[in-house]
Amino acid sequence: MREAEGGTTTEPGPGAILGEQRRLTNLAYRMLGSLADAEDVVQETYARWYALPRREREAIVSPGGWLTTVASRICLNLLGSARVRRERYVGEWIPEPLPDSREWTDPAGGPGTDPADRITLDESVSMAFLVVLEAMTPAERVAFVLHDVFRYPFAEVAAIVGRTPAACRQLATSARRRIRAGRAPAAPTGAQAGVVREFKRAWEAKDLRSLMGVLDPEATVIADGGGLVGALPHPLTGRERIAAAHLDSDRFAPGITLLECTVNGGPGLVAQVDGVTVTVFAFRIAEGLITHIWAVRNPEKLRPWTEGRSSGSGAQK
């Protein structure tokens, strides 16, 4: 990472350093499942870069590699402490949902400046994928994200994680097994969107039979209120119970408007009351039926859906 002795270097310009911001945000979000934490990691990484004496910065051959190493190590430390924090979390913990900026725009209609806009929406940020990542050990998660998602060689992963390349290869293999076990058979996005649309239609029409018809018999709903708003304290399983709970939702959350939106790169729903987003729903769909619903209600996790944003042309009622 550093220039050989006797070499000459020049410090990279601010543009080159700040140009790494998008990649670092993508990396940190996948490692942590939290946009707020990812922002903090990126800020801390840049703070450490600019805290280096100028001579040390000039001696770094690959500033991008240095920034990635530092950000990844910060994430690894945070993942260890996150397990302790989440043991004290009120209710269930769900990764922070992300909007698609092409659908969820700022009121002026221009490009959004929210950090969520810097996240590339692909399979590696789907809610189902992130939930599986949550079950991994910190070292497994970091090794897997660096190697399998961002294609870093195991030699570089080992230097970051503090283990041998062979150990990191084993970590990634173990992580892959978890991913395969939790992955639903891939279905076209249009087909998944149709299932979500039917769920929305049945919910709005209070059509119990149709609602149950799009739910897997063993479907599960997990809700995250963070102790700040009302939410299911534990997962709810079984399509009859889930359908009944949704049809009874007007009792505790009257006046809901549902919008079809992309959530973490897949079809989802946004619930609003008086134009304010109160819940974001992500779905896992297998063989044409909904197997999992993740309902994020914690207001602290809904900032990209509420602060300075309104439903754009891509959001459908």
Side-chain angles (χ1 to χ4, degrees):
M1 293 175 59
R2 295 183 181 274
E3 183 68 55
E5 188 174 354
T8 58
T9 60
T10 12
E11 183 178 359
I17 296 301
L18 293 176
E20 298 289 330
Q21 187 172 13
R22 181 184 182 91
R23 186 175 57 81
L24 294 174
T25 304
N26 273 273
L27 184 83
Y29 174 73
R30 285 162 175 80
M31 287 188 181
L32 302 174
S34 164
L35 184 60
D37 287 346
E39 291 177 63
D40 291 342
V41 166
V42 173
Q43 290 176 5
E44 175 62 20
T45 300
Y46 279 117
R48 293 188 188 186
W49 168 264
Y50 286 110
L52 292 173
R54 180 172 180 175
R55 176 171 289 186
E56 287 194 34
R57 291 201 302 267
E58 290 177 345
I60 295 174
V61 174
S62 172
W66 188 95
L67 293 167
T68 296
T69 297
V70 171
S72 298
R73 287 175 177 165
I74 295 173
C75 287
L76 187 59
N77 291 335
L78 282 175
L79 284 169
S81 61
R83 287 177 174 262
V84 177
R85 293 201 315 270
R86 287 170 194 171
E87 286 176 1
R88 300 194 297 266
Y89 195 80
V90 178
E92 301 291 324
W93 192 95
I94 298 174
E96 189 173 338
L98 295 176
D100 186 330
S101 60
R102 294 170 298 180
E103 298 176 350
W104 213 255
T105 58
D106 64 27
T113 57
D114 196 287
D117 297 340
R118 293 195 287 269
I119 303 294
T120 301
L121 299 178
D122 58 24
E123 188 186 54
S124 67
V125 293
S126 73
M127 191 62 73
F129 191 91
L130 292 175
V131 167
V132 175
L133 292 181
E134 283 296 315
M136 297 179 185
T137 67
E140 272 182 334
R141 186 167 185 170
V142 171
F144 175 80
V145 170
L146 283 172
H147 181 267
D148 283 46
V149 179
F150 288 88
R151 303 303 179 188
Y152 281 83
F154 282 118
E156 293 185 27
V157 176
I160 292 171
V161 177
R163 305 198 185 190
T164 66
C168 290
R169 190 184 303 275
Q170 194 59 42
L171 287 170
T173 298
S174 173
R176 263 179 242 122
R177 282 196 293 265
R178 293 178 187 263
I179 293 292
R180 284 195 296 269
R183 177 172 287 166
T189 301
Q192 295 184 49
V195 175
V196 172
R197 186 171 298 119
E198 178 57 24
F199 176 86
K200 171 180 176 288
R201 189 206 65 76
W203 184 0
E204 291 174 329
K206 298 189 181 299
D207 185 340
L208 180 63
R209 183 180 296 275
S210 294
L211 197 55
M212 289 176 56
V214 295
L215 293 167
D216 183 86
E218 299 301 319
T220 300
V221 173
I222 299 175
D224 177 347
L228 301 176
V229 296
L232 295 169
H234 306 289
L236 183 65
T237 302
R239 64 183 173 193
E240 292 87 357
R241 298 175 67 198
I242 292 171
H246 279 79
L247 293 188
D248 195 37
S249 61
D250 276 351
R251 184 169 57 83
F252 59 86
I256 284 180
T257 298
L258 296 174
L259 305 174
E260 294 177 45
C261 284
T262 299
V263 179
N264 285 66
L269 294 175
V270 171
Q272 295 187 332
V273 175
D274 296 329
V276 177
T277 297
V278 294
T279 310
V280 173
F281 298 90
F283 299 84
R284 181 177 184 265
I285 298 168
E287 298 181 357
L289 295 175
I290 295 169
T291 63
H292 290 78
I293 302 173
W294 293 281
V296 181
R297 291 182 46 76
N298 183 341
E300 293 181 351
K301 295 184 178 183
L302 299 180
R303 289 180 305 123
W305 303 86
T306 57
E307 290 185 0
R309 290 182 176 270
S310 60
S311 53
S313 58
Q316 301 176 32
K317 292 188 178 181

